[in-house]
Amino acid sequence: MDQASNSGSTPPETDAQLEREIAEALGGQNVEQLMEQAAQVDDSITHQAVADSHEPKRFEHEIRRGRICAIQGDDVFVQLAGIDGKHQGVVPLGQFERQPRVGSIMDFVVERFDESEGLLILSREGAVSRATWEQLQRGAVVEARVTATNKGGLELELVGGIRAFMPASQIDLHHVDDLDQFIGQKLRGQVQEIDYRSKKIILSRRRHLEHERAAARRKLWAQLEVGQERQGIVSSVVDYGAFVDLGGVDGLAHVSDLSYSRVCKTSDVVRVGQHVKVKVLKIDAERQRVSLGLKQVEPDPWAGIENRIKVGDQVSARVTRTADFGAFVEIEPGVEGLLPVSEISWKRIHKPCEVVKPGDVLRMGVLSIDPAKRRIALSLKQAQGDPWIGAERKYAVNSLVQATVTGTSDFGAFVELEPGVEGLVHISELAPSRVNRVEDVVKIGDRKQFRVLMVDEEQRRVKLSLKAVDHPPARPAAPGEDRATHQTDKKAKPRKPKG
């Protein structure tokens, strides 16, 4: 934040720094050489006592002090000091911020002499910024037009033909790369150095802006309140957020308060110089800190989410990032949900990135919604359908199926019949003869034909056999069937006991 002093005085070390900057900007040359002065100020005119002359035209384009003697309609009549009473001046009432008081004394610019009316036409506009050599003093604020640039800074001309120089380091509060942009502009600056003998003036716009900023900061601190919405300009961008100039006070908009959507880089949302609308979130007057939010001035995308999305709905969502425990997906701009790793696939996976990656747009089912905690749980596998439904029909007992070995253990091998449907081949079912190690018969990745021994759709279990592929086991007799023939003998009469 800007911690500039509220005092109007200039610390000695600041003056020393300014002197060094001026010397560096001049590069050993004098101001006259840098500006290539085209004209010299006429000292005899500048220092001549005005009271000795009664020619009104001599006063054109000069600043004169005067007393307001009357106000008639839209005209304010002024008696200028040092001018014969025969010649009064007149200035439009609209040039005053508020109606002046008769008898007030202030400065005016003599624009011209109206011979038909016998009046000097005066102006208040620019009177505070125009200058003559007699009025110039260190610390005064004057207005000057930029006429040219050089390697050290800007060449300027004050009203009345007085030439001035402004070092590049004194042009703005921040470094300026393009000096040519100021050519033709009128700039206000504080007089830093005056050399009457060589007619040399050094101006500092930066010092003037610092004073204005300090005054604006004091006023703004008195007005700031939590909850206010204000306009500002992004002054700098950092990894953890953006600093916004509210007009004398810099506030920080943390990266989490830039947007309702997930922000990877601050520069993806704002840029230096951008005009933004922000909300005041927190004020720490003691530490001179202000917390701001950009997203808080926009409608909350979570508002009414329960009316737009319900449990059981299927939605399209974009994967924004993955973690070991699942994947984060954006359902709507600013509305993010979690896809747990257990809900990504029906088959066993170790990491979400094995199935999904950032940028994927997938159809998912909504498992739960908690608007208060801003949480939504989703399922990718539920939207794809349960592969176990109808497994007893697809994988009938005694049928042959193709399956891929996905894992081995001491007691057998795990095989995948289809994504999400996994079965077990016990070690005793791998070969007709005794098997000491599962890996002696099958290895992970092998795709073989197996015979289905048992299917339990409800328990999600399938038992298979490799050795029974060529030698299917005899099917157990069902109730009512003869064990030897597997034929039903419903009409057989009971045998009579012998003897």
Side-chain angles (χ1 to χ4, degrees):
M1 293 214 175
D2 188 353
Q3 300 293 334
S5 170
N6 294 336
S7 173
S9 61
T10 303
E13 60 269 19
T14 305
D15 282 340
Q17 179 184 355
L18 178 60
E19 293 293 338
R20 289 194 298 271
E21 291 175 349
I22 292 172
E24 181 179 350
L26 295 177
Q29 304 179 68
N30 57 42
V31 177
E32 294 87 335
Q33 290 173 324
L34 287 173
M35 298 188 296
E36 299 177 356
Q37 284 187 320
Q40 297 292 328
V41 177
D42 189 347
D43 290 337
S44 61
I45 294 177
T46 304
H47 297 287
Q48 183 178 2
V50 178
D52 293 338
S53 174
H54 298 287
E55 299 178 11
K57 289 186 178 182
R58 291 181 61 88
F59 314 128
E60 291 182 1
H61 309 303
E62 293 186 359
I63 294 179
R64 288 288 176 261
R65 182 155 294 181
R67 183 189 300 275
I68 296 176
C69 54
I71 301 175
Q72 296 181 7
D74 295 332
D75 295 325
V76 177
F77 292 91
V78 180
Q79 176 62 51
L80 298 180
I83 297 181
D84 194 320
K86 298 178 182 178
H87 300 293
Q88 285 186 335
V90 63
V91 60
L93 180 62
Q95 291 190 6
F96 294 84
E97 293 182 2
R98 57 180 179 272
Q99 183 164 317
R101 179 173 54 84
V102 174
S104 299
I105 297 175
M106 55 188 65
D107 291 333
F108 300 89
V109 176
V110 180
E111 297 289 350
R112 59 186 176 85
F113 177 64
D114 188 337
E115 296 183 0
S116 61
E117 297 291 336
L119 288 172
L120 291 167
I121 306 301
L122 309 177
S123 173
R124 278 288 293 161
E125 295 180 352
V128 295
S129 59
R130 296 175 65 112
T132 63
W133 282 107
E134 292 88 348
Q135 296 170 319
L136 282 175
Q137 58 182 344
R138 186 169 181 173
V141 176
V142 297
E143 187 176 76
R145 184 184 298 277
V146 180
T147 58
T149 65
N150 57 54
K151 65 178 182 179
L154 304 178
E155 300 172 15
L156 308 96
E157 183 179 89
L158 282 68
V159 175
I162 300 175
R163 312 282 286 183
F165 177 69
M166 184 180 293
S169 63
Q170 300 300 309
I171 296 175
D172 209 334
L173 296 172
H174 309 288
H175 176 72
V176 178
D177 291 318
D178 182 16
L179 300 184
D180 291 339
Q181 64 178 302
F182 295 101
I183 294 179
Q185 292 189 26
K186 283 186 177 181
L187 302 180
R188 279 176 170 261
Q190 188 181 91
V191 178
Q192 297 296 307
E193 183 179 325
I194 306 174
D195 188 333
Y196 294 100
R197 179 173 299 177
S198 62
K199 299 291 193 279
K200 180 174 69 175
I201 299 176
I202 302 296
L203 301 179
S204 172
R205 180 169 175 261
R206 186 179 75 179
R207 191 66 57 80
H208 173 59
L209 293 176
E210 287 173 347
H211 284 237
E212 285 191 332
R213 185 178 176 85
R217 183 171 57 252
R218 290 192 297 271
K219 181 178 179 181
L220 186 57
W221 272 112
Q223 298 174 342
L224 277 178
E225 293 181 2
V226 173
Q228 288 179 339
E229 292 186 2
R230 288 184 169 271
Q231 295 291 334
I233 301 175
V234 178
S235 57
S236 65
V237 173
V238 292
D239 291 341
Y240 52 86
F243 287 95
V244 180
D245 183 359
L246 301 178
V249 173
D250 274 4
L252 173 64
H254 192 267
V255 65
S256 61
D257 290 311
L258 294 178
S259 173
Y260 284 108
S261 298
R262 185 173 297 275
V263 178
C264 297
K265 293 172 57 180
T266 307
S267 56
D268 292 339
V269 183
V270 294
R271 66 184 185 279
V272 174
Q274 179 180 346
H275 290 257
V276 293
K277 187 177 182 181
V278 295
K279 188 171 186 176
V280 179
L281 304 181
K282 184 179 178 181
I283 299 175
D284 187 341
E286 183 177 348
R287 301 172 67 187
Q288 296 281 287
R289 292 183 178 179
V290 181
S291 296
L292 306 172
L294 270 74
K295 72 179 185 182
Q296 285 79 3
V297 300
E298 302 293 336
D300 186 352
W302 279 89
I305 190 68
E306 66 276 9
N307 299 323
R308 303 193 302 273
I309 302 175
K310 301 184 183 302
V311 173
D313 288 352
Q314 287 197 4
V315 296
S316 291
R318 180 178 60 85
V319 179
T320 57
R321 63 190 178 101
T322 60
D324 291 341
F325 53 84
F328 291 94
V329 296
E330 187 178 58
I331 304 169
E332 297 178 358
V335 177
E336 196 172 63
L338 175 64
L339 174 63
V341 65
S342 60
E343 293 296 330
I344 291 179
S345 175
W346 290 104
K347 70 177 183 178
R348 189 175 302 168
I349 63 171
H350 298 93
K351 294 183 177 181
C353 59
E354 295 174 8
V355 181
V356 298
K357 63 182 184 299
D360 287 348
V361 178
L362 306 167
R363 196 73 176 167
M364 304 181 193
V366 179
L367 298 180
S368 64
I369 303 176
D370 188 340
K373 295 183 178 179
R374 295 174 177 260
R375 292 178 181 174
I376 296 180
L378 302 114
S379 174
L380 178 60
K381 69 181 188 181
Q382 295 291 347
Q384 295 171 343
D386 188 349
W388 278 95
I389 296 176
E392 292 179 355
R393 294 192 305 273
K394 285 191 292 183
Y395 307 111
V397 172
N398 235 6
S399 63
L400 294 174
V401 296
Q402 291 286 331
T404 303
V405 179
T406 58
T408 61
S409 67
D410 292 340
F411 56 83
F414 295 97
V415 298
E416 185 183 68
L417 286 78
E418 65 174 273
V421 178
E422 195 173 64
L424 173 65
V425 183
H426 194 269
I427 190 172
S428 62
E429 294 293 334
L430 288 174
S433 58
R434 179 180 178 81
V435 176
N436 295 318
R437 293 176 64 250
V438 173
E439 291 80 3
D440 293 340
V441 182
V442 294
K443 294 180 175 59
I444 295 176
D446 288 349
R447 185 164 180 80
K448 294 181 177 293
Q449 193 175 54
F450 300 89
R451 190 174 294 278
V452 180
L453 300 180
M454 184 274 291
V455 180
D456 188 334
E457 188 175 313
E458 184 176 347
Q459 296 296 321
R460 296 174 181 264
R461 296 171 61 191
V462 177
K463 290 183 179 181
L464 304 108
S465 174
L466 181 60
K467 72 178 184 180
V469 170
D470 297 326
H471 306 284
R475 184 169 65 86
E481 289 185 332
D482 185 272
R483 291 182 180 275
T485 63
H486 288 184
Q487 294 179 354
T488 303
D489 189 10
K490 295 180 180 180
K491 297 181 180 180
K493 297 180 180 180
R495 297 179 182 179
K496 295 181 179 179
K498 292 182 181 181

